[in-house]
Amino acid sequence: MKTFLKNNITYIKLFLVALFFGSTFVAGRIMAANLPPFTSAFLRFLLASFFLILFVFKKYGKFPRINFPQFLLIIALGLTGAAGYSFFLFSGLKYITASRASIIISLNPSVITLLSILILKEKFTKYKFAGIILSLTGALIVISQGNLRVILQGKIGQGELFILGCVVCWSSFTVLGKIIMRDLKPIIAITYACLVGILILILPVYQEGVLQNIFQYSIEVWLSVFALGFLGTALAFTWFYEGVDKIGPSRAGIFINFVPIFATLMAILILHEKLSPSLIIGAVFVISGVYLTNYQAKNIKIEKPKEINVRA
């Protein structure tokens, strides 16, 4: 048993990463029902930053100095990946189920690929094209709950629009991250982004005025903060990039396909959400699209990228 765990510890960690990422939608749904969006985001990244700082000092001993262009990029990362993404996530989860939100957010890899092609001039292959089309089709099925005429009539719900805002923010965060992570270790860049996110969130959190009752929060809310801040952010990102380093981004990235599956299963078991036919069909399309978007033909030699697209 010990030999098995030792030889497969990286794969076990990556499996848990997908589980932790999936849990963020359930925890986010609980927090959205009890706290305003900025307060939820602030608590998540406050806890995440505490543990990320510990991880960075344990592994590297210190934080590297950054120049002014890097500083501007980190501010952009904090705005998009921390403050913006979380605001849209918690706002959207007030209106739609965790399972639906997780499937819509699974559009991220396809949107990131599209932005990378347009902005970073990455190669556009037939697999990426097919993956983007499949993912988009699946997301539209989920958003419209199987009635695509809703999309044509412009009757998209408020919750769905907020979650689409998550996709825009996280895709922007990842593309910007590809630039800064050429010079900074991923975990260091993410820690800086979380710290900037906290600073950005201080004023709106103060205006929400909820933190004064912080010691009156229920155990359910605090468990959700822990799931989001420690498991779904600090630990998940640390283990994911360890996996990327040890087995490569392509194999590590396969585990991200399990995120919407875990999110949906936990939403059904914990939140008692119902599994609709449109959700199942949409999930199949989206997950197939994500696989194709990240697929590389065996006869094509691809240069190893520095980081891979993920979502939280």
Side-chain angles (χ1 to χ4, degrees), residues 19-235:
L19 180 65
F20 295 157
F21 279 149
S23 73
T24 61
F25 294 95
V26 175
R29 178 77 168 166
I30 294 171
M31 290 183 69
N34 292 276
L35 298 175
F38 287 120
T39 301
S40 297
F42 181 81
L43 290 174
R44 173 187 185 177
F45 288 106
L46 185 65
L47 183 64
S49 296
F50 172 76
F51 285 105
L52 284 169
I53 289 170
L54 292 181
F55 294 160
V56 169
F57 275 111
K58 182 180 178 181
K59 188 166 185 177
Y60 301 108
K62 63 179 181 178
F63 278 85
R65 291 183 178 181
I66 57 174
N67 55 39
F68 187 67
Q70 290 173 334
F71 174 71
L72 293 179
L73 277 172
I74 286 171
I75 291 177
L77 292 179
L79 278 169
T80 56
Y85 176 87
S86 294
F87 169 76
F88 286 120
L89 176 66
F90 292 118
S91 296
L93 286 172
K94 282 183 176 291
Y95 300 98
I96 68 172
T97 62
S99 52
R100 290 188 68 209
S102 70
I103 300 302
I104 296 172
I105 289 180
S106 295
L107 265 175
N108 275 330
S110 296
V111 175
I112 290 165
T113 297
L114 185 59
L115 289 177
S116 298
I117 291 168
L118 295 175
I119 298 173
L120 302 178
K121 308 302 180 184
E122 290 189 0
K123 188 176 180 181
F124 191 46
T125 68
K126 60 183 180 181
Y127 299 104
K128 290 181 179 180
F129 176 75
I132 290 170
I133 297 300
L134 278 175
S135 295
L136 181 59
T137 302
L140 291 176
I141 291 171
V142 173
I143 291 170
S144 66
Q145 300 187 57
N147 183 9
L148 295 178
R149 284 181 295 180
V150 170
I151 305 294
L152 298 175
Q153 293 168 358
K155 296 180 180 179
I156 301 176
Q158 189 173 0
E160 286 82 1
L161 288 174
F162 276 127
I163 299 302
L164 286 174
C166 289
V167 175
V168 173
C169 284
W170 192 258
S171 299
S172 302
F173 169 82
T174 305
V175 173
L176 291 169
K178 285 187 175 184
I179 299 172
I180 196 169
M181 288 177 195
R182 295 169 183 167
D183 303 313
L184 294 179
K185 295 291 185 181
I187 200 68
I188 292 175
I190 291 166
T191 304
Y192 273 133
C194 286
L195 291 172
V196 169
I198 291 172
L199 294 176
I200 293 170
L201 290 166
I202 287 177
L203 180 59
V205 165
Y206 175 78
Q207 291 175 334
E208 286 179 344
V210 182
L211 284 180
Q212 59 187 350
N213 301 317
I214 190 170
F215 295 109
Q216 298 177 17
Y217 295 166
S218 67
I219 186 65
E220 188 179 43
V221 169
W222 283 117
L223 287 174
S224 298
V225 172
F226 179 77
L228 277 160
F230 177 66
L231 297 178
T233 305
L235 192 60

Side-chain angles (χ1 to χ4, degrees), residues 238-306:
T238 301
W239 283 0
F240 180 77
Y241 282 109
E242 282 182 4
V244 169
D245 182 57
K246 290 181 179 179
I247 67 173
S250 297
R251 281 194 286 174
I254 291 173
F255 288 85
I256 299 303
N257 294 328
F258 291 105
V259 172
I261 298 173
F262 283 134
T264 300
L265 290 175
M266 283 186 282
I268 293 170
L269 294 173
I270 299 172
L271 302 178
H272 308 294
E273 293 181 1
K274 294 182 179 179
L275 194 60
S276 65
S278 63
L279 186 65
I280 297 173
I281 295 170
V284 171
F285 272 85
V286 170
I287 295 170
S288 300
V290 170
Y291 175 78
L292 279 178
T293 300
N294 291 286
Y295 175 79
Q296 306 291 356
K298 292 182 180 179
N299 59 341
I300 299 177
K301 185 178 181 181
I302 303 293
E303 183 181 355
K304 181 180 178 181
K306 297 187 182 232

